[in-house]
Amino acid sequence: MNSPPPLKQAPDFTLFDINKQEMLQRKKNAVLVDGVFLNGPIADARAGEKFVEDACKIIMEEVIQKAADVTEKVCEWQPPEKLKKLLDLEMRDTGEPHQQLLQLCQDVIRYSVKTNHPRFFNQLYAGIDYYSLVARFITEALNPSVYTYEVSPVFLLVEEAVLKKMIEFIGWNEGDGIFNPGGSVSNMYAMNLARYKYCPEIKEKGLSGLPRLVLFTSEECHYSMKKAASFLGIGTQNVYFIKTDERGKMIPEELEKQVQRARKEGAAPFLVSATAGTTVLGAFDPLDKIADICEKYGLWLHVDASWGGSALMSRKHRKLLHGIHRADSVAWNPHKMLMAGIQCCALLAKNNLDLLKKCYSANASYLFQQDKFYDVSYDTGDKSIQCSRRPDAFKFWMTWKALGTTGLEERVNRALALARYFYLKLRLGFFWFGGREYANICFWYIPPSLRDMEEGAEFWEKLHHVAPVIKERMMKKGSMMLGYQPHLGKVNFFRQVVISPQVRREDMDFLLDEIDLLGRDL
């Protein structure tokens, strides 16, 4: 009996071979227009899906899983010219292979600052919120734009729900709002909204017939107020900066003096912008007293609570914003203290009078048709100065759904408790100043060589150079990251910001020890 023939091994087709065969088959049945093949998609879906899968593994391992590991560096510091050589930045005529692209992903992560590291204290944002991160993955994959219900049904309803809840926490019975690309844009929205309320004809007639408009804000305000005044044609000279007290709070009596001065000059005061949580000192302006002045003189009250607004979530600390319910508009950034993921910034306006829509609408007929088959009131894009707009509210919504209000409150309470702990642990060589109200910690480190020196011009000149040197050393070492700056006549000092729930008491102790280690020889 003849034995059966040996089994033949199946050919080892690679993905490349399969794709090549498919391309050849398409070309056999090709439809050409202007020399372009129209058969099948131009993108290689299999290769793309494989790249997404492999890249996600890298993100999971190198970013997310290492997020709370204090043995990792905050930053693998390289100077610009060296980093240009380490990274392959050149764009070429032909695409690059799978493995090379994955290596680029690795390099980007390696040389980027890990803002989710427990010892990243450098900005008014930090840490990683896993639920917000997943929301970002979803929206990046879906690639929506939030302007009409027909293209963004879920995200428009989410934004409506989030805005309603934020308005409730401010203390308004009703209101309106829009998510924007940053607190600076929210402040500009508010300034323009206040101007439109003061003189609605500006929308059609422009600036030519207006009086000299003047607005008021504190000398500790965010720099976006000057930028907005410049951008809107109001002019930076018409921004009157109000003196602050030793804690960085606007002085109401000084505000009223400046309002009276502007009126005597023949100018038209229209807006006061108070700050709830200043960028440097974390100060909260006295909103109730400022609101009294605004009511007296008929001025729009805007509160820039981009940083401090999240204290509203805390029953313990919401008193910092006492009187905010009297504001006409509020800027609030959940991407800061509440970690909703950059960017997540809302402008909220009191009362639902369609003022945003009246101010910004252009009635584009190709987007906002009034004879649609659904309720067109859900087409909210016409109250935005943007057309394409990201569904940023979804990130905050997902985090809020996961943690609940109590979980968000805990984040605020813990951050402020850690800041309080740091102040209690300050020791020889560390000198704090500032308001101590919020999560901003401002202090000087005085090295041993300066501790016995008299506090004269030479002392302050030498101290001015201490923080930059320590900052350079910590960056090159990669041990931690916090900012420094001069401010209102004060020489360079450190500003540490406490946000991330990954931060532990031990990290606060480490910071003191590390600064002392890096600066004791200066």
Side-chain angles (χ1 to χ4, degrees):
M1 184 175 177
N2 294 331
S3 58
L7 295 174
K8 292 183 179 180
Q9 187 174 0
D12 183 19
F13 288 116
T14 65
L15 186 62
F16 174 78
D17 294 325
I18 295 170
N19 290 348
K20 187 176 180 181
Q21 290 175 14
E22 290 179 352
M23 288 296 294
L24 289 171
Q25 186 61 40
R26 282 198 215 114
K27 287 186 177 180
K28 287 180 181 178
N29 306 308
V31 174
L32 285 171
V33 175
D34 294 335
V36 178
F37 289 107
L38 301 184
N39 294 63
I42 190 173
D44 185 343
R46 291 180 184 174
E49 289 168 6
K50 178 62 174 169
F51 178 72
V52 171
E53 180 182 349
D54 291 346
C56 283
K57 290 178 184 177
I58 293 172
I59 294 169
M60 189 68 191
E61 293 168 4
E62 297 299 320
V63 181
I64 299 171
Q65 291 178 346
K66 291 182 179 180
D69 189 349
V70 294
T71 65
E72 296 288 327
K73 290 185 176 183
V74 177
C75 178
E76 185 72 51
W77 172 258
Q78 299 293 343
E81 293 308 315
K82 185 175 180 182
L83 188 56
K84 286 179 185 179
K85 295 177 181 177
L86 291 169
L87 297 174
D88 182 7
L89 298 173
E90 184 67 29
M91 283 75 73
R92 300 176 177 85
D93 292 339
T94 56
E96 298 178 21
H98 182 87
Q99 288 302 322
Q100 198 163 328
L101 293 173
L102 291 177
Q103 184 59 52
L104 288 173
C105 294
Q106 291 269 18
D107 292 342
V108 166
I109 294 169
R110 178 181 179 184
Y111 296 114
S112 292
V113 174
K114 312 306 186 294
T115 62
N116 51 6
H117 194 285
R119 292 170 183 171
F120 175 83
F121 302 107
N122 206 73
Q123 311 298 144
L124 302 184
Y125 63 88
I128 185 170
D129 177 84
Y130 302 106
Y131 308 101
S132 171
L133 183 61
V134 169
R136 281 191 272 178
F137 287 162
I138 291 171
T139 56
E140 290 299 323
L142 290 172
N143 196 33
S145 186
V146 185
Y147 38 65
T148 63
Y149 183 82
E150 64 185 281
V151 297
S152 235
V154 174
F155 299 122
L156 274 168
L157 295 182
V158 164
E159 183 174 65
E160 179 186 59
V162 171
L163 289 169
K164 182 179 179 181
K165 200 70 175 175
M166 294 174 79
I167 285 165
E168 184 182 308
F169 271 84
I170 289 171
W172 296 335
N173 293 325
E174 57 181 355
D176 196 4
I178 195 84
F179 274 79
N180 306 303
S184 295
V185 175
S186 293
N187 288 336
M188 185 180 72
Y189 262 91
M191 192 179 294
N192 196 43
L193 206 60
R195 184 173 66 176
Y196 175 78
K197 181 73 183 301
Y198 182 84
C199 42
E201 64 274 11
I202 188 175
K203 182 175 179 180
E204 295 180 356
K205 296 182 179 179
L207 299 173
S208 57
L210 288 180
R212 183 169 73 90
L213 296 175
V214 170
L215 64 102
F216 309 87
T217 189
S218 91
E219 59 187 2
E220 294 272 355
C221 75
H222 191 259
Y223 69 91
S224 60
M225 298 308 296
K226 287 181 71 172
K227 284 195 170 188
S230 172
F231 185 84
L232 294 172
I234 293 169
T236 57
Q237 290 184 352
N238 295 315
V239 180
Y240 285 25
F241 294 100
I242 310 303
K243 292 179 182 177
T244 55
D245 62 20
E246 69 281 357
R247 296 173 296 172
K249 299 170 178 288
M250 185 192 295
I251 302 171
E253 294 78 12
E254 292 295 327
L255 169 62
E256 186 160 21
K257 286 179 185 177
Q258 292 301 318
V259 173
Q260 292 171 347
R261 170 197 155 198
R263 295 177 76 177
K264 288 177 181 176
E265 291 172 349
F270 76 106
L271 167 69
V272 174
S273 178
T275 310
T278 58
T279 304
V280 178
L281 300 179
F284 289 73
D285 288 340
L287 301 181
D288 241 350
K289 292 182 178 179
I290 293 171
D292 288 341
I293 295 169
C294 288
E295 286 185 7
K296 182 177 178 179
Y297 294 97
L299 306 175
W300 180 287
L301 174 57
H302 172 64
V303 177
D304 178 6
S306 298
W307 172 219
S310 296
L312 289 168
M313 307 299 294
S314 167
R315 286 165 290 184
K316 182 177 182 180
H317 298 292
R318 63 178 295 117
K319 61 181 181 288
L320 292 169
L321 298 109
H322 179 71
I324 195 170
H325 66 284
R326 301 176 65 186
D328 296 291
S329 59
V330 173
W332 178 0
N333 293 2
H335 78 225
K336 296 183 186 293
M337 178 67 75
L338 300 178
M339 300 168 55
I342 291 176
Q343 57 205 27
C344 189
C345 315
L347 173 76
L348 305 141
K350 193 175 188 177
N351 298 325
N352 192 10
L353 303 174
D354 282 338
L355 194 62
L356 274 166
K357 188 172 182 180
K358 289 175 183 176
C359 182
Y360 293 113
S361 65
N363 301 312
S365 60
Y366 59 88
L367 277 178
F368 307 115
Q369 305 93 329
Q370 297 304 296
D371 55 356
K372 290 181 179 180
F373 61 94
Y374 59 84
D375 183 353
V376 295
S377 69
Y378 286 98
D379 289 356
T380 60
D382 217 14
K383 66 182 183 182
S384 167
I385 59 172
Q386 298 169 258
C387 181
S388 299
R389 194 165 61 87
R390 298 170 61 89
D392 293 323
F394 182 61
K395 294 174 287 191
F396 189 28
W397 179 82
M398 186 69 84
T399 298
W400 205 330
K401 292 285 280 185
L403 302 180
T405 302
T406 55
L408 296 176
E409 179 181 29
E410 184 181 4
R411 283 191 173 173
V412 177
N413 291 345
R414 191 171 188 277
L416 270 64
L418 281 167
R420 174 69 173 160
Y421 172 82
F422 185 87
Y423 280 119
L424 294 174
K425 292 288 286 186
L426 286 180
R427 55 184 189 244
L428 181 66
F430 292 85
F431 184 77
W432 71 267
F433 65 90
R436 289 187 21 170
E437 285 188 297
Y438 206 44
N440 309 48
I441 304 170
C442 299
F443 63 93
W444 283 293
Y445 171 71
I446 303 171
S449 64
L450 299 181
R451 290 174 192 170
D452 295 326
M453 184 180 291
E454 185 178 345
E455 290 186 19
E458 184 182 359
F459 169 84
W460 292 111
E461 175 62 25
K462 288 181 178 293
L463 185 59
H464 184 65
H465 298 287
V466 170
V469 174
I470 294 177
K471 176 65 178 273
E472 178 183 356
R473 291 176 177 180
M474 76 172 69
M475 289 290 289
K476 289 180 176 178
K477 186 177 179 182
S479 57
M480 61 181 184
M481 193 170 171
L482 72 158
Y484 75 87
Q485 70 276 308
H487 186 64
L488 295 180
K490 295 181 173 69
V491 302
N492 280 326
F493 57 87
F494 287 110
R495 183 199 62 165
Q496 178 193 4
V497 183
V498 185
I499 296 176
S500 172
Q502 277 92 22
V503 176
R504 308 157 303 159
R505 174 188 59 78
E506 295 88 339
D507 298 311
M508 308 299 278
D509 295 335
F510 173 85
L511 186 143
L512 289 167
D513 293 337
E514 185 73 355
I515 287 180
D516 198 24
L517 176 67
L518 295 173
R520 67 177 57 160
D521 64 330
L522 296 177

